[in-house]
Amino acid sequence: MNRRNFFAGAATAVAATTVSRVSMAALPEPVTQASTATAPPLVPPNGRPYNPVVTLNGWTLPWRMNAGVKEFHLVAEPVVREMAPGFKVNMWGYNGQSPGPTIEVVEGDRVRIFVTNKLPEHTTVHWHGQRLPNGMDGVGGITQPHIPPGKTFVYEFTARRPGTFMYHPHADEMVQMAMGMMGFWVTHPKAEHPLIEKVDRDFCFLLGSFDVEPGSATPKVNTMTDFNIWSFNSRVFPAIDTLNVRKGDRVRIRVGNLTMTNHPIHIHGHEFEVTGTDGGPVPRTARWPEVSVDVAVGQMRQMEFIADEEGDWSLHCHKAHHTMGPMGHDVPTMIGVDHKGVAEKIKKLVPDYMVMGDKGMADMGEMEMPIPDNTLPMMTGTGPFGSAEMGGMFTLLKVRRDQKPGDYRDPGWFKHPAGTVAREVSATGAPAAPRKTGTTPASPDSGSATVRKPSGHGAHNH
Amino acid sequence: MLAGCASLSPDGGTADVQALVDGNPLMAGAAAQRKPDDASQQSVDALLAQPLDAEAAVRIALVNSPRVQDAFATLQLSDADRVQAASLPNPVLSFSRLAQGSEREFERMLTFNVVGLLTLPWQARWAGQRHEAAKLQAAQSVLLLAADTRRAWVRAVAAQQSVSYLRDAKEATEAGAELAHRMAKVGNWSALQRTREQLLLADASAQLARAEQAAVASREQLTRLLGLSGTRTAYTLPDRLPPLPKAAPELGDVQALALRDRLDVRSAQAQNTAVAGSLGLTHATRVINAMELGVVRNTTFENDADRSKSTTRGFELELPIPIFDWGQARSGRAEAQYLQSAARVRDVGVLAASEAREAWQGWNTAYALARRYRDEVLPLRKQVNEEMVLRYNGMLASVWELLGETRASMLAVNAGMEAQRDFWLADTDLQLVLTGSSPGGMTAAQTASAGDAPATGGH
């Protein structure tokens, strides 16, 4: 987390392309991104001005102006995305990364997007949520021929409606999305809009899920529900960048869901309002305060709030399994199972064996044991007070009074004012709790419910 | 020519037999002994004091096994027959006393079987040939015993090794079943899940019990071949079989080798020569197979007053008259015997060549298999185990999957060890097939019992 070279990471490189140079000569140079760091906002060098977004662990695609038309060049291609340090996944994406770069335009812009297909199979791009001519909607076979491998197609339309959108293939969709093909599209309002506030920080990320067999590197594209990698912008905690804001900032977070399940996105310490969906800005009368918003499949939610509480606030999907890394979903619950005698026996046969899970799974966060290559632990991430026991769709909203405007750097861990951290209370100092007497726990018997109290034996001393 | 030359061999033919098997790889320098003596018993005790390797087992069997003693006794019988055949027939003295009134007559006659005398060299040569065949057969018995001992040793060590792997495999399921029981006890598992793990344990226990019985049986097999009893049966075996040889030997034409060196081939040939000899004898004595020539001296005592007596001398020739038996039957029988023996020579030759091909192929297959286990299966198996531990560490797999993998691993190691065992059995078969005899026991020409030789495995 500390290795992020925030600004340095924004370096871009010209792609070496296998597509004919002659045929590409008239197109905008495809720009590719090698870094997974959060790129600083791309302040528009030309065209209509707007207040740019920050794509978490991502970047915004540069464009060129051509006779008043904004020209972008997307290259659909296989990429290797580092989802966490040491965990690299073979994906399909755009311009070097998955998700692809965010496309930012202004309401009313004429937009021309060249799409070069460097995948082994045909593709298309669907501009999710946009008002556009039917033939530009990117549904292979229905509104256009597929883009064959090696070919470049062009899409052209006017960004008619301000709001948050996505782009993704509509050709072999199941496979191409399971492989990570997706990206963000933000259309900024041309002028002040009664329902769209000006914000100080504008973050966006897409929710993605992948099934990567531990020890392998390519997602299993046929998985329908039992995914094991849950990501924000194809990154997993603790490798997802934090959302760093200044105290008092108006913050907007745009979340799009391209997984196959819903995600209740929850922010600690603040309440927010959903100010927009991919359908547009929400009327003020329809907004209500929330601390979680469920982002359904294929949906977009725009949350806004004033970051007025200092600290390191968790921001995560509230489905507990989605804040975990890969785990064996068929591993039985071991809680309360006495390993005495058996552990020694197993250790004799498997010298590296250690008892785990008999007191819960926190062991996993605490113990550093070797696991298969190119896999991350089920729960991980360390904070100033120990193991965070989290993974997947989890990051932090860091609110600091001294975070300078436009500075997106990680300010480090929050320094709590004295006396504001939960602490241990000595037995004598605690007030007496009301006690109920006369109850006895159910007798332990096969299959019956049993009160489980810590047995006291240290599992790792077995 | 009549030299009553034949005498019993003082060592019962031990030296001759030893000369036939010397240098055979199955013997590994061991010597067969006709009768156990103090020195050999002391050496047996010394060998039994340490874990018994294959060579020591062969050494013990060759001095201690009832089977080797049996073989030498059989050889001694043949030696006695040989000496008997080469002995001059004894002359027959007959004496009769006849009385007629007062007259007494004494008749003395010395007869000699002339045909027996005339055919003596023939008989002696024939018996000698038969004895040569008997020596070859005794040598085969010795090699078969050495081979059987090696095989029994290989089986006993392997079975003992197998028990230890299956015990580990069972322990893995035992741990799984015990944990399953505790899982159910605290309410984490249903009876169905618990019972499934217990079933695995029951299966593993049965497998182990069978292996333990097999280990006892194969050890007793070895004990019998070693001729051991009492406290001597408490010998120890090494923990593992010898490692595989580095490379396959260069043997050239294995068929030619077998046809040249195999003792049963040579024995059949020697027997055939002997039968041919007997055929000649039978032909020669076809019509006249007995002729007795005697010297007669008759003395008659008149017992009258002057005590006169008279003596007559003469000779007597006794010759069967070939009216009914012209010897066709004996001649036909001899010819049939010759044909039979010639057929057996051919049979043994075909068998030897075929067995040589089969054993060579069997050796190569067993070698390749055992190497595949050693170089591929077991390292891969180990890797799978290590990967499973990593998965267990990451809470990606349960302890039951880990234990299941461990159990599968033990079974794979066991299968690898069985492949190694089969290689050593095939190796023994090949040695025997190329230089000794049929690995299935003595060939048809041999009458000696193969004893309790186990059914050969490995092919």
Side-chain angles (χ1 to χ4, degrees):
Chain A
M1 285 253 279
N2 299 326
R3 296 192 293 116
R4 281 180 215 144
N5 298 320
F6 190 85
F7 290 102
T12 56
V14 174
T17 168
T18 56
V19 177
S20 154
R21 281 240 158 249
V22 178
S23 70
M24 298 284 273
L27 310 182
E29 278 295 330
V31 183
T32 196
Q33 176 59 272
S35 165
T36 56
T38 302
L42 179 69
V43 178
N46 48 34
R48 293 191 180 100
Y50 63 84
N51 193 21
V53 299
V54 165
T55 307
L56 213 56
N57 294 103
W59 58 303
T60 290
L61 187 62
W63 65 87
R64 77 174 180 196
M65 294 301 295
N66 185 359
V69 178
K70 269 189 180 169
E71 288 186 339
F72 295 88
H73 192 170
L74 280 180
V75 179
E77 60 185 354
V79 301
V80 174
R81 172 77 171 178
E82 187 197 54
M83 297 196 79
F87 175 45
K88 294 183 178 169
V89 179
N90 299 324
M91 290 187 178
W92 288 353
Y94 299 94
N95 301 48
Q97 293 290 337
S98 161
T102 299
I103 293 175
E104 287 183 81
V105 297
V106 180
E107 180 185 0
D109 276 355
R110 184 74 183 164
V111 181
R112 191 176 295 133
I113 310 133
F114 298 91
V115 177
T116 299
N117 182 9
K118 285 161 76 177
L119 298 173
E121 67 169 1
H122 66 217
T123 188
T124 63
V125 183
H126 165 60
W127 315 98
H128 182 117
Q130 304 268 8
R131 292 271 180 159
L132 35 62
N134 186 226
M136 291 294 159
D137 198 37
V139 182
I142 300 289
T143 64
Q144 67 163 92
H146 295 96
I147 308 172
K151 299 294 182 190
T152 301
F153 274 40
V154 63
Y155 294 86
E156 188 168 335
F157 54 91
T158 301
R160 281 161 61 180
R161 182 161 78 67
T164 315
F165 307 97
M166 304 185 276
Y167 64 87
H168 61 80
H170 229 295
D172 194 11
E173 186 177 323
M174 179 195 89
V175 167
Q176 296 190 4
M177 302 244 295
M179 289 296 281
M181 298 198 74
M182 55 186 75
F184 241 96
W185 178 300
V186 175
T187 304
H188 296 279
K190 180 162 56 181
E192 273 195 31
H193 190 290
L195 295 176
I196 302 174
E197 311 297 329
K198 274 210 153 105
V199 295
D200 303 292
R201 312 262 175 172
D202 198 339
F203 296 95
C204 64
F205 56 88
L206 285 170
L207 306 173
S209 63
F210 301 92
D211 184 14
V212 184
E213 178 76 14
S216 76
T218 306
K220 286 152 80 173
V221 295
N222 289 325
T223 300
M224 187 170 172
T225 52
D226 198 10
F227 295 94
N228 61 7
I229 306 292
W230 303 96
S231 66
F232 290 173
N233 278 348
S234 304
R235 293 281 284 186
V236 291
F237 183 75
I240 303 174
D241 281 343
T242 52
L243 286 70
N244 312 312
V245 308
R246 179 188 177 91
K247 186 182 175 191
D249 274 354
R250 171 169 277 274
V251 179
R252 179 184 293 136
I253 300 173
R254 307 167 193 249
V255 182
N257 180 3
L258 286 175
T259 72
M260 288 203 251
T261 187
N262 63 315
H263 297 277
I265 298 298
H266 173 57
I267 301 178
H268 291 208
H270 296 80
E271 55 285 343
F272 56 78
E273 283 180 350
V274 174
T275 57
T277 72
D278 28 0
V282 177
R284 291 186 193 279
T285 51
R287 299 179 186 178
W288 66 80
E290 285 272 26
V291 294
S292 299
V293 60
D294 196 30
V295 188
V297 178
Q299 284 187 342
M300 181 70 69
R301 289 293 178 268
Q302 235 175 254
M303 294 162 265
E304 284 176 35
F305 59 97
I306 306 293
D308 51 7
E309 294 290 346
E310 270 199 298
D312 293 339
W313 303 106
S314 297
L315 189 173
H316 60 93
C317 173
H318 217 290
K319 285 189 174 177
H321 272 220
H322 296 181
T323 54
M324 293 288 136
M327 71 179 97
H329 291 147
D330 292 328
V331 174
T333 304
M334 302 299 293
I335 297 169
V337 178
D338 182 10
H339 281 66
K340 232 171 272 155
V342 184
E344 288 79 3
K345 200 173 255 181
I346 300 174
K347 223 173 161 69
K348 215 184 92 196
L349 301 166
V350 188
D352 293 336
Y353 172 78
M354 277 178 111
V355 173
M356 287 194 301
D358 59 332
K359 299 191 299 310
M361 288 200 183
D363 291 343
M364 189 63 213
E366 289 162 6
M367 290 203 265
E368 280 192 10
M369 310 234 295
I371 60 174
D373 283 345
N374 203 48
T375 302
L376 60 165
M378 180 175 114
M379 42 170 130
T380 181
T382 312
F385 300 104
S387 171
E389 295 166 359
M390 287 281 153
M393 294 175 163
F394 182 95
T395 187
L396 293 168
L397 169 74
K398 295 192 168 184
V399 184
R400 298 289 187 277
R401 69 179 71 229
D402 49 3
Q403 190 84 6
K404 302 231 167 11
D407 183 0
Y408 285 86
R409 278 177 302 184
D410 183 355
W413 295 112
F414 183 59
K415 291 173 190 67
H416 300 268
T420 63
V421 177
R423 61 198 184 279
E424 186 185 354
V425 177
S426 69
T428 49
R435 233 174 255 277
K436 226 164 119 182
T437 52
T439 54
T440 49
S443 65
D445 194 8
S446 177
S448 75
T450 314
V451 173
R452 283 192 193 124
K453 295 183 172 171
S455 60
H457 69 86
H460 313 307
N461 303 328
H462 280 307
Chain B
M1 175 183 162
L2 291 189
C5 46
S7 58
L8 287 170
S9 98
D11 65 351
T14 315
D16 293 335
V17 170
Q18 188 61 37
L20 284 170
V21 297
D22 253 347
N24 190 296
L26 289 170
M27 299 287 289
Q33 194 158 339
R34 188 160 63 107
K35 274 187 271 183
D37 56 20
D38 284 350
S40 71
Q41 291 309 300
Q42 274 166 15
S43 74
V44 166
D45 284 330
L47 290 170
L48 287 175
Q50 288 151 20
L52 197 63
D53 64 22
E55 279 65 38
V58 168
R59 228 168 259 271
I60 292 174
L62 290 181
V63 301
N64 205 47
S65 172
R67 258 174 64 183
V68 76
Q69 290 151 26
D70 184 327
F72 277 113
T74 308
L75 181 60
Q76 206 175 347
L77 285 174
S78 145
D79 194 33
D81 287 347
R82 174 186 64 88
V83 171
Q84 183 65 57
S87 300
L88 277 176
N90 288 333
V92 178
L93 177 68
S94 59
F95 178 81
S96 58
R97 178 180 176 276
L98 303 168
Q100 187 181 26
S102 59
E103 203 179 285
R104 298 290 180 270
E105 186 183 327
F106 292 94
E107 188 184 297
R108 284 146 296 184
M109 182 167 65
L110 188 65
T111 53
F112 204 79
N113 185 337
V114 178
V115 171
L117 185 65
L118 289 174
T119 60
L120 182 66
W122 217 332
Q123 296 264 22
R125 201 170 70 231
W126 177 49
Q129 283 163 344
R130 285 189 64 91
H131 186 56
E132 283 309 310
K135 277 186 209 163
L136 285 162
Q137 285 181 353
Q140 276 184 76
S141 293
V142 166
L143 284 184
L144 273 175
L145 177 63
D148 286 348
T149 306
R150 270 176 194 277
R151 284 191 286 238
W153 180 88
V154 166
R155 287 203 172 87
V157 173
Q160 174 188 284
Q161 221 178 332
S162 186
V163 166
S164 77
Y165 294 130
L166 292 176
R167 196 166 281 150
D168 281 353
K170 187 201 155 205
E171 262 184 44
T173 42
E174 218 165 44
E178 177 58 33
L179 264 187
H181 177 69
R182 294 186 195 180
M183 287 283 280
K185 205 167 113 186
V186 298
N188 296 11
W189 258 7
S190 66
L192 174 64
Q193 288 161 305
R194 182 197 62 204
T195 311
R196 281 207 173 118
E197 290 297 322
Q198 277 171 336
L199 261 181
L200 280 180
L201 174 59
D203 180 46
S205 305
Q207 228 172 333
L208 176 62
R210 272 190 218 110
E212 279 170 343
Q213 181 51 38
V216 168
S218 56
R219 189 189 161 94
E220 286 304 330
Q221 171 74 46
L222 176 63
T223 305
R224 286 198 286 279
L225 284 167
L226 297 177
L228 299 177
S229 59
T231 53
R232 275 177 159 185
T233 58
Y235 58 88
T236 57
L237 290 170
D239 294 336
R240 57 191 70 244
L241 291 171
L244 297 177
K246 289 209 171 18
E250 286 291 333
L251 288 181
D253 184 352
V254 288
Q255 297 180 68
L257 214 60
L259 287 173
R260 190 191 71 200
D261 290 353
R262 255 170 80 148
L263 294 179
D264 58 348
V265 174
R266 287 164 64 186
S267 169
Q269 283 163 344
Q271 221 151 19
N272 192 41
T273 312
V275 172
S278 86
L279 181 64
L281 177 67
T282 309
H283 275 306
T285 58
R286 198 178 95 132
V287 179
I288 299 164
N289 65 346
M291 180 168 70
E292 309 242 315
L293 187 63
V295 190
V296 186
R297 180 188 161 92
N298 269 6
T299 307
T300 310
F301 295 88
E302 302 290 344
N303 280 337
D304 53 7
D306 61 357
R307 293 199 166 272
S308 62
K309 61 173 183 180
S310 62
T311 299
T312 55
R313 294 180 183 85
F315 68 90
E316 183 184 300
L317 179 67
E318 198 177 276
L319 197 65
I321 303 165
I323 296 175
F324 307 111
D325 178 6
W326 280 81
Q328 304 99 313
R330 273 181 299 123
S331 178
R333 178 183 162 80
E335 268 172 21
Q337 272 177 333
Y338 177 75
L339 287 176
Q340 190 182 40
S341 122
R344 281 176 182 171
V345 171
R346 209 178 142 254
D347 186 32
V348 172
V350 168
L351 182 78
S354 159
E355 281 182 345
R357 291 190 301 267
E358 184 186 341
W360 178 232
Q361 184 59 42
W363 192 99
N364 280 302
T365 304
Y367 186 58
L369 254 174
R371 279 179 61 126
R372 176 142 301 186
Y373 266 97
R374 186 193 66 185
D375 301 339
E376 279 178 46
V377 177
L378 296 184
L380 289 175
R381 194 64 247 178
K382 187 163 173 276
Q383 216 177 322
V384 167
N385 269 23
E386 286 166 359
E387 287 293 328
M388 190 48 88
V389 170
L390 296 181
R391 277 165 179 262
Y392 171 77
N393 287 350
M395 290 194 178
L396 301 161
S398 76
V399 64
W400 285 272
E401 287 171 89
L402 182 64
L403 288 170
E405 215 57 73
T406 304
R407 180 169 178 234
S409 201
M410 296 304 169
L411 296 180
V413 172
N414 194 39
M417 189 274 306
E418 279 173 358
Q420 198 185 353
R421 174 199 67 190
D422 290 346
F423 165 75
W424 284 115
L425 292 176
D427 186 60
T428 305
D429 279 354
L430 179 65
Q431 305 292 0
L432 187 62
V433 158
L434 291 186
T435 60
S437 183
S438 172
M442 294 241 185
T443 46
Q446 172 64 295
T447 49
S449 127
D452 46 5
T456 46
H459 50 159

